[in-house]
């Protein structure tokens, strides 16, 4: 029997019950998609408490499947628009949300944010940063239906990450460990390459939730160049642009403002972070850049990759290669924070960690 025929047969079969998924012990809510219509496929699906054996496909439109409002779905080999997703999902409006145990969630974050081939101590530093970041976001998301995004707006999360003993060890050996200043979690931002010096969140987002800055002789200091025509810039910025120039810089040398000259003699000032987002984070790799113009072409020449706040991943890699432990790496990039262990983690390592309120 063909797969299509099997699906058609199953579509007319009476639902049968399957085991309900066990609720996570330390839940984190991850938004895996924000869509109006999508395809949903899997095996042994349970949809709104109705169970369907074998392979099954649905088309979801405006939150409804087969005319019924979709609330929850679980099953094996779940795919949303052919992309692997966790085995239990909830639909809230356009938000598709997976609720996972925090440590399980990290198994999808760590390999997406740092190569598993990197030194274990760097991976452990990344695991602590990612765990802290997720819990910090959760503490700030009381009015939302989810805690974290699954992309660069928060931190990357993938369901089909290759299994890695290094990544698993980094998560397990730091289980329950987070970064705090006093009795509050820090935001624990991280990025690829600071370009020589990390940045304060106040200069990027106007917030005071970072934990200090640091010189970074360990970073890759990657140099890059981007060329865009005036027309291309106007299209990306969605503005009738006639010219642009760099405004103010901060103490680390990063651009903080970009001045736009618009048609009709008008002007506009953008923060450098908003400008970078409009151009594309992967194209304008940081705000540590110089800009020049020849004819209708602008050249941006810069260093580093990312916003520069918090942990420098390439710097952490180099520190680990030099024999530095993850605790030393974290102390370097988050100098105002202390490592703290959640007593619920039930881990008897590092007795000198702060594990009391």
């Amino acid at each position: 029997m063909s797969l299509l025929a099997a699906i058609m047969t199953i579509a007319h079969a009476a639902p049968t019950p399957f085991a309900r998924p066990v609720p996570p012990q330390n839940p984190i809510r991850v938004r895996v998609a924000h869509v109006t219509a999508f395809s949903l496929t899997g095996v042994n699906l349970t949809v709104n408490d109705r169970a369907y054996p074998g392979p099954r496909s649905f088309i979801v439109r405006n939150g409804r499947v087969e005319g019924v409002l979709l609330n929850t779905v679980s099953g094996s080999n779940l795919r949303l628009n052919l992309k692997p997703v966790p085995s239990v999902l909830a639909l809230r409006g356009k938000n598709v949300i997976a609720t996972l145990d925090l440590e399980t969630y990290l198994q999808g974050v760590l390999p997406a944010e740092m190569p598993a081939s990197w030194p274990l101590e760097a991976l452990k530093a990344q695991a602590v940063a990612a765990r802290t970041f997720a819990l910090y976001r959760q503490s700030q998301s009381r009015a939302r239906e989810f805690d974290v995004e699954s992309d660069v707006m928060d931190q990357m999360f993938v369901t089909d990450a290759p299994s890695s003993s290094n990544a698993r060890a980094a998560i397990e050996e730091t289980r329950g460990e987070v970064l705090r200043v006093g009795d509050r979690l820090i935001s624990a931002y991280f990025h690829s390459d600071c370009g020589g010096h990390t940045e304060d969140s106040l200069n990027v987002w106007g917030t005071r939730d970072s934990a200090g800055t640091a010189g970074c002789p360990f970073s890759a200091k990657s140099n890059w160049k981007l060329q865009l025509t005036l027309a291309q810039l106007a299209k990306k910025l969605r503005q009738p642009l006639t010219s642009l120039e760099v405004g103010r810089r901060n103490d680390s040398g990063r651009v903080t403002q970009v001045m736009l000259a618009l048609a009709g003699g008008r002007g506009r000032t953008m923060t450098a972070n908003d400008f970078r987002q409009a151009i594309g984070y992967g194209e304008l790799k940081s705000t540590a850049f110089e800009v020049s113009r020849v004819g209708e072409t602008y050249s941006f020449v810069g260093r580093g990759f990312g916003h520069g706040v918090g942990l420098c991943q390439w710097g952490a890699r180099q520190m680990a290669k030099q024999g530095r432990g993850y605790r030393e790496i974290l102390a370097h990039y988050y100098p105002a924070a202390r490592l703290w262990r959640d007593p619920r983690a039930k881990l008897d390592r590092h007795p000198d960690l702060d594990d009391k309120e």
Side-chain angles (χ1 to χ4, degrees):
M1 182 183 293
S2 69
L3 178 60
L4 177 60
I7 291 174
M8 293 301 292
T9 300
I10 291 165
H12 295 91
T16 57
F18 296 116
R20 292 179 179 272
V22 178
Q25 297 296 309
N26 192 5
I28 193 86
R29 301 168 302 168
V30 187
R31 183 164 81 170
V32 297
H34 182 68
V35 288
T36 301
F38 57 92
S39 67
L40 183 66
T41 63
V43 178
N44 292 344
L45 299 184
T46 298
V47 179
N48 290 355
D49 295 324
R50 289 177 59 85
Y52 301 87
R56 180 77 183 192
S57 294
F58 292 109
I59 298 296
V60 182
R61 292 188 177 88
N62 296 318
R64 293 181 176 274
V65 56
E66 297 185 347
V68 179
L69 189 66
L70 175 61
N71 292 314
T72 58
V73 60
S74 62
S76 303
N77 301 323
L78 280 189
R79 290 178 178 267
L80 190 150
N81 290 342
L82 302 181
K83 174 186 175 182
V85 289
S87 60
V88 181
L89 301 174
L91 194 70
R92 301 291 181 265
K94 297 180 181 179
N95 297 323
V96 183
I97 301 165
T99 301
L100 304 168
D101 179 80
L102 175 61
E103 304 300 315
T104 301
Y105 162 70
L106 291 177
Q107 293 175 21
V109 172
L110 204 60
E113 289 289 358
M114 181 175 281
S117 60
W118 281 19
L120 178 60
E121 294 302 305
L123 287 163
K124 287 161 72 172
Q126 178 67 68
V128 173
R131 182 184 294 111
T132 307
F133 183 87
L135 291 175
Y136 174 84
R137 277 287 194 258
Q138 185 179 64
S139 72
Q140 304 295 308
S141 65
R142 302 305 182 192
R144 296 193 309 184
E145 293 171 327
F146 60 92
D147 301 315
V148 289
E149 302 276 10
S150 57
D151 56 25
V152 293
M153 297 309 294
D154 280 331
Q155 53 191 7
M156 296 296 295
F157 168 81
V158 293
T159 302
D160 58 344
S163 179
S164 163
S165 57
N166 247 16
R168 291 194 303 273
I171 295 167
E172 183 58 33
E173 292 179 23
T174 63
R175 179 176 289 270
E177 294 180 11
V178 293
L179 292 161
R180 303 199 314 184
V181 171
D183 61 354
R184 66 174 179 84
L185 290 166
I186 68 167
S187 51
Y189 297 111
F190 52 88
H191 59 281
S192 179
D193 177 13
C194 70
H197 200 288
T198 65
E199 182 60 282
D200 194 300
S201 63
L202 184 65
N203 294 329
V204 181
W205 303 291
T207 62
R208 296 182 181 275
D209 54 359
S210 58
T213 62
C216 184
F218 317 103
S219 81
K221 298 183 180 65
S222 55
N223 297 317
W224 51 266
K225 183 176 182 179
L226 172 67
Q227 290 187 321
L228 293 170
T229 65
L230 185 63
Q232 288 172 324
L233 284 165
K235 182 177 181 180
K236 287 179 176 291
L237 296 170
R238 299 181 181 179
Q239 299 282 347
L241 188 68
T242 60
S243 66
L244 67 79
E245 62 182 30
V246 167
R248 291 184 297 184
R249 295 180 182 272
N250 58 31
D251 293 341
S252 68
R254 288 178 171 83
V255 177
T256 61
Q257 289 183 333
V258 177
M259 320 294 287
L260 309 181
L262 308 178
R266 295 178 295 120
R268 179 188 172 191
T269 300
M270 296 182 71
T271 68
N273 190 58
D274 287 345
F275 179 77
R276 181 173 171 240
Q277 183 176 13
I279 299 303
Y281 290 134
E283 293 187 67
L284 193 67
K285 294 184 177 182
S286 77
T287 56
F289 64 81
E290 304 286 343
V291 62
S292 60
R293 179 178 181 177
V294 177
E296 292 293 293
T297 300
Y298 280 86
S299 295
F300 300 85
V301 179
R303 68 183 191 280
F305 193 179
H307 48 65
V309 182
L311 177 75
C312 172
Q313 292 171 323
W314 277 95
R317 176 182 182 270
Q318 188 61 26
M319 288 184 72
K321 289 183 71 173
Q322 292 178 0
R324 315 287 181 90
Y326 78 102
R327 300 178 71 191
E328 187 176 353
I329 294 170
L330 292 170
H332 180 80
Y333 289 109
Y334 306 103
R338 293 195 66 181
L339 198 58
W340 179 86
R341 178 169 58 88
D342 187 339
R344 293 172 298 178
K346 297 181 180 179
L347 203 64
D348 295 328
R349 300 180 312 101
H350 305 322
D352 56 331
L353 290 183
D354 294 332
D355 59 358
K356 296 180 181 179
E357 292 289 346

